[in-house]
Amino acid sequence: QVRDLHPWFGIEQEYTMFDSTGRHPYGWPANGYPGPQGPYYCGVGADKVKGRKIVEAHYRACLYAGLKIAGSNAEVMPSQWEYQVGPCEGIEMGDHLWVSRWILMRVAEEFNVVVSFDPKPIAGDWNGAGCHTNISTLPMREAGGLEKIYEAIELMGGKHVEHIEDYDPTGGEDNKRRLTGLHETASIDKFNYGVAHRGASIRIPRQVAVDGCGYFEDRRPSSNADPYVVTDRIIRTICLNE
């Protein structure tokens, strides 16, 4: 039944670089904090971006390993990065993301840098780290698929608690620090969705709304989520209605 729906996933893996102690963010001032968030996202220049050599070495290593890595970018908080893996069908998503994480940590080791997948590594007015998961089935990708997308979102809304429990390794405790309704997140206690809405639980890309078909993005999974558990939970909800 699920195989005939050809579920595709694409995961955006965020992470944070720390120095070799694992306690001080890589490239941050020895005393105090860097300037406020704003200029670092997709930034360029040594005063905005830290660790690009690691990012590019990781990207090349993933390509060499045959992984379906598809992009990377500097994130909102300095020394925080993201890379994208996919599209992958079914359980393949977990395979490719899990190996890509190992390669990232191994590459960072060469630079004496520690990689953290903690969803809120720095408390305060700093963005957390997620594992945004993009989802589509064959009917969603076909003409008129937007209706199928909305149907799937409604099913996911009815299972919000179950999804939150499966979206980090601690049954939602890690994500409580991240999903506050601030810093481009929805509250962990509420489910909502919208077109081009970065503060929603689920975001429908603007172009998907225009085209009437495509995919949607679940923004709730934490950066340390188990991709096998996340994709299993999504498939059970939207494909099997479990």
Side-chain angles (χ1 to χ4, degrees):
Q1 180 181 349
V2 174
R3 188 182 296 113
D4 293 340
L5 293 172
H6 296 285
W8 288 1
F9 296 96
I11 288 184
E12 306 166 24
Q13 175 69 68
E14 295 178 339
Y15 62 94
T16 308
M17 296 182 188
F18 283 78
D19 66 13
S20 60
T21 69
R23 294 190 295 271
H24 189 81
Y26 181 69
W28 281 34
N31 298 296
Y33 295 88
Q37 296 183 149
Y40 310 111
Y41 181 68
C42 296
V44 64
D47 58 335
K48 304 291 190 301
V49 173
K50 310 297 180 183
R52 192 183 298 276
K53 287 184 178 180
I54 298 171
V55 172
E56 295 190 349
H58 169 246
Y59 200 97
R60 290 186 176 94
C62 285
L63 290 175
Y64 183 81
L67 300 183
K68 293 183 177 179
I69 192 166
S72 65
N73 60 272
E75 267 300 333
V76 177
M77 187 178 78
S79 303
Q80 185 185 75
W81 289 82
E82 172 190 300
Y83 64 92
Q84 302 88 36
V85 176
C88 297
E89 186 164 329
I91 199 171
E92 181 186 47
M93 184 70 257
D95 298 341
H96 283 248
L97 191 72
W98 208 260
V99 175
S100 75
R101 286 177 176 176
W102 184 89
I103 292 175
L104 174 60
M105 297 178 77
R106 182 63 184 84
V107 167
E109 179 188 322
E110 296 295 314
F111 293 83
N112 210 28
V113 166
V114 173
V115 170
S116 171
F117 294 109
D118 189 278
K120 188 70 175 179
I122 306 296
D125 193 18
W126 303 100
N127 273 38
C131 212
H132 299 165
T133 302
N134 299 278
I135 311 120
S136 72
T137 61
L138 181 59
M140 294 177 194
R141 297 189 291 270
E142 294 176 337
L146 186 59
E147 180 180 348
K148 296 296 183 181
I149 289 174
Y150 280 118
E151 289 176 2
I153 292 173
E154 290 296 332
L155 289 171
M156 293 177 81
K159 295 282 187 178
H160 178 63
V161 173
E162 290 88 340
H163 280 255
I164 289 296
E165 290 174 349
D166 282 344
Y167 280 3
D168 75 43
T170 59
E173 290 301 311
D174 283 347
N175 243 345
K176 281 183 179 178
R177 295 182 284 121
R178 168 180 163 259
L179 297 179
T180 61
L182 302 173
H183 305 112
E184 301 181 33
T185 69
S187 169
I188 196 170
D189 299 316
K190 298 178 181 178
F191 178 85
N192 63 338
Y193 62 89
V195 174
H197 188 352
R198 287 178 173 268
S201 308
I202 290 181
R203 180 180 71 93
I204 299 171
R206 189 174 302 281
Q207 193 61 45
V208 171
V210 172
D211 294 342
C213 61
Y215 68 99
F216 64 96
E217 174 193 29
D218 191 339
R219 299 176 61 83
R220 295 172 295 173
S222 69
S223 50
N224 62 350
D226 183 332
Y228 295 104
V229 175
V230 170
T231 54
D232 176 76
R233 176 67 266 176
I234 291 170
I235 284 176
R236 288 184 183 278
T237 299
I238 71 170
C239 298
L240 300 175
N241 197 18
E242 293 182 359

